[in-house]
Amino acid sequence: MNIVRLLLILFLFGSAEAGKLLVVPSDGSHWLGMKPIVEELGRRGNQVVVVIPEASLSMGPSEHTTTLTYPVPYTKAELEGNIAEELDTILSIDMTSDLAKFQGFLFSLNILQTLTVRSTESLLFNEDLIKKLKDFNFDAILTDPFEPVGVIVGEYLSVPAIYMQINHPCGVDTLATQCPTPASYVPQIFTQFTDHMSFWQRSVNAVRSLLQPMACGYLFTHADEIASRLLQRKTSVVDIMSRAALWFMRFDFALEFSRPVMPNMVMIGATVSQKPKPLSQFLWRLGPPLSSPPGIASQGITTVIRILPAGRDPSPPSFR
């Protein structure tokens, strides 16, 4: 209940009730999806501190926040080259059979095992920065567990952790929360199955579900070692994530197959990474002014705009 009360303060009240939030994002599209929420929290008077590496793909200073950087042993050009090379390798993997898909899944885990901890030690063993973060006395930490550095930082600082993520490579959200994932209708990642599977597909999916703990253990091999060294006790990233206060899931069941979720999982859908721009004069002339009766404008592949009359249900029959 304390973390729910904190979130209500962060989102609903002004600076008189402001909170202190530490943000440790992941790079790339993960940060682009988190950034609007972080900036809005800062705009509402909360003290938001964002910690990012000096070299990254897309991360940089954001509005209404304080940005702290730390040195890393690579440049942006080296990072871009490394990721492009690994991505080309993944895209060249044959995905025509179930065995090939599983091999591609293992290969991806092998790449991410090192890639996701590239800056972890640079932050966690930066004594000056860690001391500065302790002095802030944060109320909570917001991080994306795709890169486990934020997970470990939150545990080290002993602050409530809020995770914001889309589908994780090894499904750590279901593993850490002990959320049920019925193999009969919840397809595992990289299987390309749907929620309607044949007997063979369900069998393959069941095997993949049983291998999920080992997949996460392999993915977090280096991260577990770093976390144990920093915290000076034997621990694992999955164990740390099991104590999360909230999970913000960046999807909804309009585009994802339905599956069980835990009480501390909140589906927030996709977040817009750019502020929307006003309609052009051309599009505005095609539609009615805001004072007209309510309706909906839908855009198809052919970019034809049609206005549905008021009172008509625009949703497909399967969603009514």
Side-chain angles (χ1 to χ4, degrees), residues 5 12 34 41 43 50 62-63 101 109 254 260 287 299 318:
R5 195 174 300 114
L12 301 180
M34 182 185 289
L41 287 172
R43 189 189 67 81
V50 183
S62 49
E63 298 178 358
K101 293 173 186 176
L109 292 182
Q299 182 175 3
S318 58

Side-chain angles (χ1 to χ4, degrees), residues 30-48:
H30 301 268
W31 167 237
L32 296 179
M34 182 185 289
K35 185 178 179 180
I37 297 176
V38 171
E39 291 182 334
E40 180 64 19
L41 287 172
R43 189 189 67 81
R44 298 190 183 193
N46 302 288
Q47 185 177 6
V48 180

Side-chain angles (χ1 to χ4, degrees), residues 191-211:
T191 61
Q192 300 179 0
F193 295 157
T194 69
D195 55 345
H196 295 283
M197 291 177 269
S198 64
F199 176 75
W200 168 254
Q201 290 174 332
R202 289 185 180 185
S203 301
V204 172
N205 202 52
V207 173
R208 288 287 303 275
S209 299
L210 293 174
L211 295 176

